[in-house]
Amino acid sequence: MPAMADETLFQLLHTQVVAAAYGAGRGSGDEGLRAGLTVLEGMGFRVGQGLAERLPQGALAFREELDTIKFLCRDLWGAVFGKQTDNLRTNHQGTYILQDNNFPFLTQMAWGQQYLEEAPKFLAFTCGLLRGTLSSLGIESSVTASVTSLPA
Amino acid sequence: MPAMADETLFQLLHTQVVAAAYGAGRGSGDEGLRAGLTVLEGMGFRVGQGLAERLPQGALAFREELDTIKFLCRDLWGAVFGKQTDNLRTNHQGTYILQDNNFPFLTQMAWGQQYLEEAPKFLAFTCGLLRGTLSSLGIESSVTASVTSLPA
Protein backbone atom coordinates (compact mmCIF):
# COMPACT_ATOMS: atom_id res chain seq x y z
CA MET A 1 0.00 0.00 0.00
CA PRO A 2 2.54 2.59 -1.11
CA ALA A 3 0.03 5.42 -1.27
CA MET A 4 -0.72 5.07 2.43
CA ALA A 5 2.86 5.53 3.52
CA ASP A 6 3.60 6.54 7.10
CA GLU A 7 4.98 9.81 5.82
CA THR A 8 1.56 10.67 4.44
CA LEU A 9 -0.06 9.61 7.70
CA PHE A 10 2.20 11.91 9.70
CA GLN A 11 1.56 14.79 7.32
CA LEU A 12 -2.19 14.26 7.43
CA LEU A 13 -2.14 14.25 11.21
CA HIS A 14 0.06 17.35 11.27
CA THR A 15 -2.46 19.15 9.05
CA GLN A 16 -5.22 18.26 11.52
CA VAL A 17 -3.07 19.41 14.43
CA VAL A 18 -2.58 22.81 12.80
CA ALA A 19 -6.29 23.06 12.06
CA ALA A 20 -7.16 22.16 15.65
CA ALA A 21 -4.74 24.75 17.01
CA TYR A 22 -6.69 27.41 15.13
CA GLY A 23 -10.16 25.93 15.33
CA ALA A 24 -13.13 26.51 17.62
CA GLY A 25 -12.64 30.26 18.01
CA ARG A 26 -9.03 29.94 19.04
CA GLY A 27 -6.29 31.53 17.02
CA SER A 28 -8.06 34.64 15.78
CA GLY A 29 -6.08 37.89 15.78
CA ASP A 30 -2.41 38.35 16.46
CA GLU A 31 -2.64 37.06 20.01
CA GLY A 32 -4.49 33.96 18.90
CA LEU A 33 -1.97 33.35 16.14
CA ARG A 34 0.89 33.52 18.63
CA ALA A 35 -0.92 31.25 21.08
CA GLY A 36 -1.42 28.66 18.35
CA LEU A 37 2.22 28.88 17.31
CA THR A 38 3.29 28.33 20.93
CA VAL A 39 1.11 25.23 21.20
CA LEU A 40 2.42 23.80 17.92
CA GLU A 41 6.03 24.59 18.79
CA GLY A 42 5.60 22.89 22.17
CA MET A 43 4.16 19.76 20.59
CA GLY A 44 7.05 19.66 18.14
CA PHE A 45 9.51 20.12 20.98
CA ARG A 46 8.17 17.12 22.89
CA VAL A 47 8.02 14.94 19.76
CA GLY A 48 11.64 15.93 19.06
CA GLN A 49 12.60 14.96 22.59
CA GLY A 50 10.82 11.64 22.15
CA LEU A 51 12.63 10.91 18.89
CA ALA A 52 16.01 11.78 20.38
CA GLU A 53 15.37 9.54 23.38
CA ARG A 54 14.80 6.64 21.01
CA LEU A 55 18.08 7.09 19.18
CA PRO A 56 20.77 4.43 19.52
CA GLN A 57 23.24 5.62 22.13
CA GLY A 58 26.01 5.80 19.55
CA ALA A 59 24.15 8.46 17.62
CA LEU A 60 24.27 10.75 20.63
CA ALA A 61 28.06 10.91 20.82
CA PHE A 62 28.69 13.65 18.30
CA ARG A 63 32.00 15.40 18.87
CA GLU A 64 31.26 18.59 16.99
CA GLU A 65 28.16 20.73 16.97
CA LEU A 66 28.28 20.72 13.18
CA ASP A 67 28.00 16.93 13.20
CA THR A 68 24.82 17.21 15.23
CA ILE A 69 23.37 19.70 12.77
CA LYS A 70 24.30 17.45 9.86
CA PHE A 71 22.49 14.66 11.66
CA LEU A 72 19.36 16.82 11.71
CA CYS A 73 19.68 17.62 8.01
CA ARG A 74 20.19 14.04 7.00
CA ASP A 75 18.68 11.61 9.50
CA LEU A 76 16.01 13.62 11.28
CA TRP A 77 14.78 15.17 8.02
CA GLY A 78 14.87 11.70 6.47
CA ALA A 79 12.79 10.17 9.24
CA VAL A 80 10.23 12.98 9.25
CA PHE A 81 10.02 14.05 5.62
CA GLY A 82 11.57 11.15 3.70
CA LYS A 83 14.39 13.26 2.25
CA GLN A 84 17.31 15.45 3.24
CA THR A 85 17.45 19.22 3.46
CA ASP A 86 18.69 20.88 0.27
CA ASN A 87 21.35 23.03 1.85
CA LEU A 88 23.11 23.78 5.13
CA ARG A 89 24.95 27.01 5.77
CA THR A 90 26.72 28.26 8.87
CA ASN A 91 28.63 31.34 9.97
CA HIS A 92 30.83 29.02 12.09
CA GLN A 93 29.76 31.02 15.14
CA GLY A 94 26.80 28.89 16.15
CA THR A 95 24.27 29.97 13.56
CA TYR A 96 23.03 27.35 11.11
CA ILE A 97 20.64 27.76 8.21
CA LEU A 98 18.85 24.63 7.00
CA GLN A 99 17.24 25.13 3.62
CA ASP A 100 14.48 22.99 2.17
CA ASN A 101 13.30 24.15 -1.23
CA ASN A 102 10.20 21.94 -1.18
CA PHE A 103 9.22 21.77 2.47
CA PRO A 104 6.45 19.14 2.54
CA PHE A 105 4.21 20.98 5.00
CA LEU A 106 4.21 24.00 2.68
CA THR A 107 3.98 22.36 -0.73
CA GLN A 108 0.59 20.96 0.30
CA MET A 109 -0.75 24.47 0.73
CA ALA A 110 -2.57 26.55 -1.82
CA TRP A 111 -0.79 29.37 -3.54
CA GLY A 112 -1.33 33.09 -3.06
CA GLN A 113 -1.71 35.68 -0.36
CA GLN A 114 -3.35 33.33 2.11
CA TYR A 115 -0.32 31.10 1.73
CA LEU A 116 2.00 33.76 3.13
CA GLU A 117 -0.28 34.44 6.07
CA GLU A 118 -0.75 30.76 6.84
CA ALA A 119 2.86 29.67 6.39
CA PRO A 120 4.01 30.27 10.00
CA LYS A 121 1.36 27.85 11.23
CA PHE A 122 2.93 25.10 9.14
CA LEU A 123 6.46 25.82 10.30
CA ALA A 124 6.03 26.08 14.09
CA PHE A 125 5.83 22.34 14.78
CA THR A 126 9.03 21.65 12.87
CA CYS A 127 10.88 24.48 14.64
CA GLY A 128 9.89 22.84 17.92
CA LEU A 129 10.88 19.44 16.59
CA LEU A 130 14.41 20.66 15.86
CA ARG A 131 14.68 22.50 19.17
CA GLY A 132 13.43 19.47 21.13
CA THR A 133 15.79 17.08 19.38
CA LEU A 134 18.73 19.42 19.94
CA SER A 135 17.75 19.88 23.57
CA SER A 136 17.86 16.13 24.18
CA LEU A 137 21.25 16.04 22.44
CA GLY A 138 22.51 18.59 24.94
CA ILE A 139 22.26 21.72 22.80
CA GLU A 140 20.07 24.60 23.88
CA SER A 141 18.98 26.49 20.78
CA SER A 142 16.65 29.01 19.30
CA VAL A 143 14.98 27.85 16.09
CA THR A 144 13.09 30.18 13.79
CA ALA A 145 11.72 29.68 10.30
CA SER A 146 11.34 31.95 7.33
CA VAL A 147 9.85 31.54 3.88
CA THR A 148 11.91 33.36 1.33
CA SER A 149 10.14 32.09 -1.78
CA LEU A 150 7.12 30.01 -2.64
CA PRO A 151 7.73 26.32 -3.33
CA ALA A 152 7.46 25.40 -6.97
CA MET B 1 18.03 5.26 11.63
CA PRO B 2 15.66 2.43 12.53
CA ALA B 3 14.81 3.81 15.97
CA MET B 4 13.37 6.95 14.42
CA ALA B 5 10.89 5.14 12.24
CA ASP B 6 7.88 6.99 10.90
CA GLU B 7 5.66 4.75 12.98
CA THR B 8 7.28 6.12 16.12
CA LEU B 9 6.95 9.65 14.80
CA PHE B 10 3.23 9.18 14.24
CA GLN B 11 2.78 7.67 17.68
CA LEU B 12 4.72 10.47 19.36
CA LEU B 13 2.61 13.06 17.58
CA HIS B 14 -0.58 11.20 18.50
CA THR B 15 0.47 11.25 22.16
CA GLN B 16 0.92 15.02 21.94
CA VAL B 17 -2.43 15.39 20.22
CA VAL B 18 -4.14 13.54 23.06
CA ALA B 19 -2.30 15.64 25.62
CA ALA B 20 -3.28 18.86 23.82
CA ALA B 21 -6.92 17.80 23.66
CA TYR B 22 -6.91 17.58 27.45
CA GLY B 23 -4.46 20.37 28.26
CA ALA B 24 -4.84 23.98 29.29
CA GLY B 25 -7.93 23.55 31.42
CA ARG B 26 -9.86 21.73 28.73
CA GLY B 27 -11.06 18.21 29.25
CA SER B 28 -11.79 18.27 32.95
CA GLY B 29 -14.94 16.51 34.12
CA ASP B 30 -17.27 14.33 32.10
CA GLU B 31 -18.22 17.10 29.70
CA GLY B 32 -14.58 17.95 29.08
CA LEU B 33 -13.75 14.30 28.52
CA ARG B 34 -16.50 14.01 25.92
CA ALA B 35 -15.44 17.24 24.22
CA GLY B 36 -11.87 15.95 23.94
CA LEU B 37 -13.04 12.63 22.54
CA THR B 38 -15.13 14.43 19.91
CA VAL B 39 -12.12 16.52 18.86
CA LEU B 40 -9.87 13.46 18.63
CA GLU B 41 -12.48 11.41 16.77
CA GLY B 42 -12.96 14.25 14.28
CA MET B 43 -9.24 14.51 13.65
CA GLY B 44 -9.06 10.76 13.09
CA PHE B 45 -12.04 10.95 10.73
CA ARG B 46 -10.39 13.55 8.52
CA VAL B 47 -7.04 11.71 8.51
CA GLY B 48 -8.92 8.54 7.52
CA GLN B 49 -10.61 10.42 4.69
CA GLY B 50 -7.23 11.74 3.58
CA LEU B 51 -5.70 8.26 3.57
CA ALA B 52 -8.60 6.80 1.62
CA GLU B 53 -8.39 9.59 -0.97
CA ARG B 54 -4.77 8.64 -1.57
CA LEU B 55 -5.51 4.99 -2.23
CA PRO B 56 -4.94 3.58 -5.71
CA GLN B 57 -8.29 3.51 -7.50
CA GLY B 58 -8.19 -0.27 -7.70
CA ALA B 59 -8.24 -0.56 -3.95
CA LEU B 60 -11.59 1.19 -3.82
CA ALA B 61 -13.42 -1.41 -5.89
CA PHE B 62 -14.26 -3.88 -3.15
CA ARG B 63 -17.24 -6.04 -4.04
CA GLU B 64 -18.16 -7.13 -0.54
CA GLU B 65 -18.34 -5.16 2.67
CA LEU B 66 -16.30 -7.88 4.34
CA ASP B 67 -13.47 -7.26 1.86
CA THR B 68 -13.42 -3.62 2.88
CA ILE B 69 -13.21 -4.57 6.55
CA LYS B 70 -10.40 -7.02 5.80
CA PHE B 71 -8.63 -4.19 4.03
CA LEU B 72 -8.83 -2.16 7.24
CA CYS B 73 -7.49 -5.04 9.33
CA ARG B 74 -4.60 -5.72 7.01
CA ASP B 75 -3.62 -2.63 5.00
CA LEU B 76 -4.87 0.29 7.07
CA TRP B 77 -3.63 -1.28 10.31
CA GLY B 78 -0.36 -2.04 8.56
CA ALA B 79 0.11 1.52 7.37
CA VAL B 80 -0.77 3.04 10.73
CA PHE B 81 0.57 0.55 13.25
CA GLY B 82 3.02 -1.56 11.26
CA LYS B 83 1.11 -4.81 11.84
CA GLN B 84 -2.28 -6.42 11.28
CA THR B 85 -5.13 -6.79 13.74
CA ASP B 86 -5.08 -10.05 15.67
CA ASN B 87 -8.63 -11.07 14.96
CA LEU B 88 -11.73 -10.13 13.01
CA ARG B 89 -15.18 -11.35 13.96
CA THR B 90 -18.55 -10.59 12.43
CA ASN B 91 -22.18 -11.52 13.00
CA HIS B 92 -22.68 -11.36 9.21
CA GLN B 93 -25.30 -8.68 9.81
CA GLY B 94 -23.08 -5.64 9.48
CA THR B 95 -21.31 -5.76 12.83
CA TYR B 96 -17.56 -6.32 12.81
CA ILE B 97 -15.19 -6.66 15.75
CA LEU B 98 -11.54 -5.88 15.12
CA GLN B 99 -9.31 -7.16 17.90
CA ASP B 100 -5.78 -5.97 18.61
CA ASN B 101 -4.20 -7.62 21.64
CA ASN B 102 -1.34 -5.14 21.76
CA PHE B 103 -2.82 -1.90 20.53
CA PRO B 104 0.22 0.41 20.18
CA PHE B 105 -1.48 3.51 21.57
CA LEU B 106 -2.32 1.58 24.75
CA THR B 107 0.83 -0.45 25.28
CA GLN B 108 2.71 2.83 25.73
CA MET B 109 0.57 3.70 28.70
CA ALA B 110 1.27 3.03 32.33
CA TRP B 111 -0.55 0.27 34.11
CA GLY B 112 -3.20 0.58 36.75
CA GLN B 113 -6.37 2.46 37.54
CA GLN B 114 -5.32 5.57 35.67
CA TYR B 115 -4.89 3.38 32.62
CA LEU B 116 -8.55 2.43 32.58
CA GLU B 117 -9.67 6.01 32.96
CA GLU B 118 -7.28 7.27 30.29
CA ALA B 119 -7.83 4.50 27.76
CA PRO B 120 -10.76 6.13 25.88
CA LYS B 121 -8.58 9.13 25.11
CA PHE B 122 -6.15 6.85 23.28
CA LEU B 123 -8.84 5.07 21.30
CA ALA B 124 -10.92 7.99 19.98
CA PHE B 125 -8.58 9.01 17.18
CA THR B 126 -8.41 5.47 15.80
CA CYS B 127 -12.20 5.10 15.93
CA GLY B 128 -12.43 8.25 13.83
CA LEU B 129 -9.71 6.98 11.52
CA LEU B 130 -11.71 3.84 10.75
CA ARG B 131 -14.98 5.77 10.37
CA GLY B 132 -13.35 8.33 8.05
CA THR B 133 -11.71 5.69 5.87
CA LEU B 134 -14.96 3.74 5.63
CA SER B 135 -16.86 6.92 4.82
CA SER B 136 -14.59 7.64 1.88
CA LEU B 137 -15.02 4.05 0.75
CA GLY B 138 -18.77 4.60 0.66
CA ILE B 139 -19.71 2.95 3.96
CA GLU B 140 -21.40 4.95 6.68
CA SER B 141 -20.55 3.38 10.01
CA SER B 142 -20.52 3.74 13.75
CA VAL B 143 -17.19 2.82 15.34
CA THR B 144 -16.73 2.32 19.06
CA ALA B 145 -13.86 0.92 21.06
CA SER B 146 -13.65 -1.12 24.23
CA VAL B 147 -10.80 -2.40 26.35
CA THR B 148 -11.54 -5.85 27.66
CA SER B 149 -8.16 -6.59 29.16
CA LEU B 150 -4.91 -4.82 29.79
CA PRO B 151 -2.16 -5.36 27.20
CA ALA B 152 0.64 -7.57 28.37
Side-chain angles (χ1 to χ4, degrees):
Chain A
M1 188 158 53
M4 282 175 77
D6 292 339
E7 188 189 333
T8 302
L9 184 68
F10 171 71
Q11 290 189 17
L12 287 168
L13 180 53
H14 176 268
T15 302
Q16 291 304 316
V17 168
V18 173
Y22 290 95
R26 291 191 296 278
S28 54
D30 278 359
E31 196 179 329
L33 176 62
R34 277 195 299 274
L37 295 182
T38 301
V39 167
L40 293 169
E41 208 271 350
M43 294 175 76
F45 183 85
R46 289 182 292 278
V47 170
Q49 283 182 313
L51 286 177
E53 284 164 12
R54 283 161 179 77
L55 288 174
Q57 287 298 311
L60 306 179
F62 295 115
R63 299 239 179 111
E64 306 273 348
E65 193 172 88
L66 184 59
D67 292 330
T68 307
I69 307 295
K70 284 180 180 171
F71 168 81
L72 298 182
C73 293
R74 193 179 49 232
D75 299 276
L76 181 71
W77 226 254
V80 177
F81 301 115
K83 62 170 187 171
Q84 302 186 13
T85 62
D86 292 305
N87 199 5
L88 167 65
R89 283 180 293 162
T90 178
N91 65 355
H92 297 289
Q93 299 183 10
T95 299
Y96 302 90
I97 299 177
L98 285 64
Q99 186 176 334
D100 187 331
N101 297 328
N102 288 288
F103 185 61
F105 289 165
L106 287 179
T107 48
Q108 296 172 311
M109 294 178 59
W111 234 68
Q113 182 59 31
Q114 190 178 353
Y115 170 91
L116 290 171
E117 290 171 9
E118 301 275 314
K121 302 179 182 179
F122 292 86
L123 300 170
F125 178 87
T126 305
C127 287
L129 189 77
L130 291 170
R131 195 171 65 86
T133 305
L134 284 169
S135 172
S136 289
L137 296 175
I139 299 175
E140 297 306 313
S141 63
S142 167
V143 181
T144 59
S146 66
V147 180
T148 53
S149 64
L150 300 171
Chain B
M1 190 159 56
M4 284 175 78
D6 292 340
E7 188 190 331
T8 302
L9 184 69
F10 171 71
Q11 291 189 17
L12 288 168
L13 181 54
H14 176 269
T15 302
Q16 291 303 316
V17 169
V18 173
Y22 290 95
R26 291 191 295 280
S28 54
D30 279 0
E31 194 178 329
L33 176 62
R34 276 195 299 275
L37 295 181
T38 301
V39 167
L40 293 170
E41 208 271 349
M43 293 174 77
F45 183 84
R46 289 182 293 277
V47 170
Q49 283 183 314
L51 286 177
E53 284 165 10
R54 283 161 180 76
L55 288 173
Q57 287 299 310
L60 306 179
F62 295 115
R63 298 237 180 114
E64 306 273 350
E65 192 170 87
L66 183 59
D67 292 330
T68 306
I69 306 296
K70 283 180 180 172
F71 168 81
L72 298 182
C73 293
R74 191 179 51 230
D75 298 276
L76 181 71
W77 226 254
V80 177
F81 300 115
K83 62 171 189 170
Q84 302 186 14
T85 62
D86 291 304
N87 199 5
L88 167 65
R89 284 180 291 162
T90 178
N91 65 355
H92 297 289
Q93 298 182 9
T95 298
Y96 302 90
I97 299 176
L98 284 63
Q99 185 176 336
D100 187 332
N101 297 327
N102 288 288
F103 186 60
F105 288 165
L106 288 180
T107 48
Q108 297 171 310
M109 292 178 62
W111 234 69
Q113 183 60 30
Q114 191 178 354
Y115 171 91
L116 291 172
E117 290 171 9
E118 301 275 315
K121 303 178 182 179
F122 291 86
L123 300 170
F125 178 88
T126 305
C127 288
L129 189 77
L130 292 170
R131 193 170 66 84
T133 305
L134 285 170
S135 172
S136 290
L137 295 175
I139 298 175
E140 296 307 312
S141 64
S142 168
V143 181
T144 59
S146 67
V147 180
T148 54
S149 64
L150 299 173

